[in-house]
Amino acid sequence: MRPKNRAVVFGSAGALVTATLIAGAVAAPAASADSRHGQDREARGAAVAADRAARAGIDWQDCPADWGLAKPIQCGYVSVPLDYAHPYGKQIKLAVDRIGNTGTKGERQGALVYNPGGPGGSGLRFPARVTSKNPVWANVAKAYDFVGFDPRGVGHSTPISCADPQEYVKAPKPDPVPDSEADKLAQRKLAREYAEGCYERTGRAMLEQMTTPNTARDLDVIRAALGEKKINYLGVSYGTYLGAVYGTLFPGHVRRMLVDSVVNPARENIWYEANLNQDIAFEGRWKDWQDWVAKNDASFHLGTTRDAVQAKWLQLRATAKKNPIGGVVGPAELLGFFQTPPYYDSSWVPVATAFSKYFAGDPQPLIDAAAPDMSDTAGNIATENGNAVYTAVECADAKWPTSWHKWDRDNTRLNAKYPFLTWSNAWMNLPCATWPVKQRTPLEVKTGKGLPPVLIVQSTRDAATPYPGAVELHQRFKGSRLITEKDAGSHGVTGLVNPCINSRVDAYLLTGEVDGADVTCGPHATPKP
C-alpha cells in the first residue's frame, strides 16, 4: 500500500501505503507476440539507459535545504527514459540520495538501495537511519552505502498529480460506508472524476509509463549510475513487489535482496484481488488491536472485552457521522486515523490514547490527529502526490474489472463480514475501473539465471500484505529463505527489535549466508501503555 499509510482517497482521509497495495481481478492472459516484442524493446532500452548512466555517474551535492536531509547525506539526479521502448526519447529525472558506509574502506560491500513501499513512497529518508544512529541497522551501515530514491512520479522525481492538493485533503469527506444506492453513485462519480483528473493534470505520456516494470528498469539505471555491477536491495511492502519484478527482469544484477512484508506477486493477485484479500486481513489485525486495548483497560478505560471496545468505536463513528467532531472529523477521517494500528504496532498507544481521551471528555487530541492541517501546504502536496502515484501505478500495472456490478457484488459480500476497511478500499481503487490510459498485463514473477538466494521476512498477521504473499514469492524464487515472525502483524518487520530476525538480516547482508531451512521466530515485544 502506499507509503506506509494509506491516504484513503474518497471515502476516507488518512494514512497509508505503504500500503499499502492492492488492485486487478481479471486473470492475466498469456503474453502475446506483440507484448513480448514490446518487452524486448524495453529490455534493450533499459540496457541503453544503464550504459549511458554508468558513463555519466551521479553529480553528488549537498541536498537542497527544503529536502530536510542534512550533511553528510548527499543528493543527486539520475536521468531515465520516460518510455524504455524509446530510450533516446524524452528523459525524466529521478532524485537519489546516499550516505557512505560507516566502516573502513575494506569493510565496504557496495550500495544498499531501499524502497519503502506504496506505490508512492519516498525512499529518501533511508540514509537518515545512519545519521540517527539507528541501532538495528548499525552493523549493516558499516558495510554499505545507504541509498534512497524517489521513484518516477514521486516527490522530487518528476512528480505527478491527480487533484488540487488542498481540495484533496479537505475534510470532512463522505462516509465511505454507503447507506444507499445514491451514496454509491456519488462515490462512483468521485472515482471517475479522480481518474479524469489524473489524465488532465499528469498527461497521457507520463501516465502510461507509471508501471512497476518501468520503476524496476529505473532501479537498474540507478544501479549503473552508482557504479555497481550488482545491486543490494531492501524492499518493504510494495517495495517487495518492485524487488520481485526487478529480480525477474534483472536476475543477474542482484547481489543480495531482502524483502519484508510481501505483496503476493501472482498475476491474478495484481491488483484487484490483493485489495480484497487485504480487507480480510485488516479485520483480523483490527481485532488484535481491540484485544490489546481491552487487556489494558486500566490505562484506556474503553472496555475489558473486544466487543466493548468495538461498541465504543461504533459509538464514536456514529457521533462523527451525525456531527463531524470539531467540524472536520467524520467517519472517513476517523478511519484514516484508526487504520494505523492495524498497520503498525507503533500506533497502538497513541491511537488508543486519543480514543480514550475523547471518551474522557477531551476531543482535541483526536481532532488534532485525524483532521487535515490545511496550513501544511508542503505536506498536503506530498499526500496528494503519494496517492496519485499509488493510483497511477496500480491502475497501469494490470487490467481491472470495468463492471460496477462486479465491484458492488464483491465489496458488498466482503463488507458483511469484514466491514472495517472494505468500502474505503473499494472507493480508493475504483478510479482503475475507468482508467483513461492503457492497462498492462502483470509480469510473471519467476527465478532467472543468476538470481542469488533472496531473504524474505514476514509476520503472520500482517494486514497490508497478508502472509500468503510471502509463501508465494518464496515458491517462485528458488533458493530463497523465509523468516516468519509468528503471532505478530506490524507491517515492516526488519526495522523492529527482534533479535531472532535482526541477527539473520545482519548475517545475510554482511556474509550472504542464509539458514539451511526456513525459520520461525517469536513475535517482537508488544507495545506497553
Side-chain angles (χ1 to χ4, degrees), residues 54-125:
R55 294 195 303 270
I58 302 173
D59 181 17
W60 296 109
Q61 304 283 342
D62 291 343
C63 299
D66 61 350
W67 289 19
L69 299 165
K71 291 191 289 188
I73 298 172
Q74 295 179 302
C75 292
Y77 286 98
V78 175
S79 291
V80 299
L82 173 62
D83 180 355
Y84 278 94
H86 302 282
Y88 299 104
K90 180 177 172 56
Q91 307 293 301
I92 58 175
K93 288 188 177 297
L94 306 181
V96 184
D97 69 343
R98 72 167 181 185
I99 191 167
N101 72 303
T102 61
T104 64
K105 187 176 180 180
E107 289 176 289
R108 185 180 180 276
Q109 296 191 39
L112 178 62
V113 185
Y114 172 70
N115 180 272
S122 168
L124 293 181
R125 296 297 305 168

Side-chain angles (χ1 to χ4, degrees), residues 87-294:
Y88 299 104
K90 180 177 172 56
Q91 307 293 301
I92 58 175
K93 288 188 177 297
L94 306 181
V96 184
D97 69 343
R98 72 167 181 185
I99 191 167
N101 72 303
T102 61
T104 64
K105 187 176 180 180
E107 289 176 289
R108 185 180 180 276
Q109 296 191 39
L112 178 62
V113 185
Y114 172 70
N115 180 272
S122 168
L124 293 181
R125 296 297 305 168
F126 184 53
R129 296 188 187 184
V130 180
T131 55
S132 66
K133 296 182 167 52
N134 185 319
V136 171
W137 295 99
N139 292 330
V140 175
K142 290 179 182 177
Y144 291 96
D145 303 346
F146 278 25
V147 175
F149 71 104
D150 276 352
R152 60 171 53 203
V154 175
H156 304 294
S157 294
T158 319
I160 69 169
S161 173
C162 293
D164 176 82
Q166 294 297 100
E167 286 296 314
Y168 173 75
V169 302
K170 198 162 66 175
K173 288 180 168 52
D175 186 347
V177 179
D179 291 326
S180 65
E181 290 302 313
D183 288 348
K184 293 178 183 178
L185 199 60
Q187 293 281 11
R188 291 171 64 189
K189 182 173 183 286
L190 288 173
R192 186 172 59 253
E193 289 172 350
Y194 186 81
E196 292 167 354
C198 293
Y199 187 89
E200 291 165 5
R201 295 175 71 93
T202 297
R204 175 181 291 276
M206 184 74 175
L207 219 52
E208 284 187 337
Q209 302 302 326
M210 290 293 298
T211 67
T212 300
N214 274 343
T215 302
R217 295 177 186 111
D218 293 344
L219 183 58
D220 199 59
V221 177
I222 291 171
R223 171 202 59 77
L226 290 167
E228 303 286 346
K229 287 193 173 4
K230 295 191 176 187
I231 198 172
N232 304 286
Y233 177 77
L234 167 60
V236 183
S237 189
Y238 163 80
T240 67
Y241 183 58
L242 175 59
V245 171
Y246 183 86
T248 301
L249 292 175
F250 304 99
H253 293 182
V254 178
R255 180 175 179 265
R256 286 174 198 155
M257 179 178 287
L258 169 62
V259 287
D260 171 1
S261 304
V262 180
V263 173
N264 185 329
R267 271 180 165 180
E268 61 271 17
N269 190 63
I270 305 299
W271 283 108
Y272 181 84
E273 290 293 336
N275 281 276
L276 300 181
N277 292 330
Q278 194 183 54
D279 298 339
I280 297 169
F282 258 91
E283 197 74 28
R285 194 60 179 161
W286 170 244
K287 291 175 179 177
D288 289 350
W289 178 70
Q290 291 179 318
D291 288 340
W292 175 85
V293 172

Side-chain angles (χ1 to χ4, degrees), residues 257-262 454-458 469-475 477 480-484:
M257 179 178 287
L258 169 62
V259 287
D260 171 1
S261 304
V262 180
V454 172
L455 187 62
I456 302 168
V457 185
Q458 178 80 32
V471 176
E472 181 72 24
L473 183 61
H474 184 29
Q475 292 171 346
F477 274 178
S480 61
R481 283 290 177 268
L482 173 60
I483 300 175
T484 299

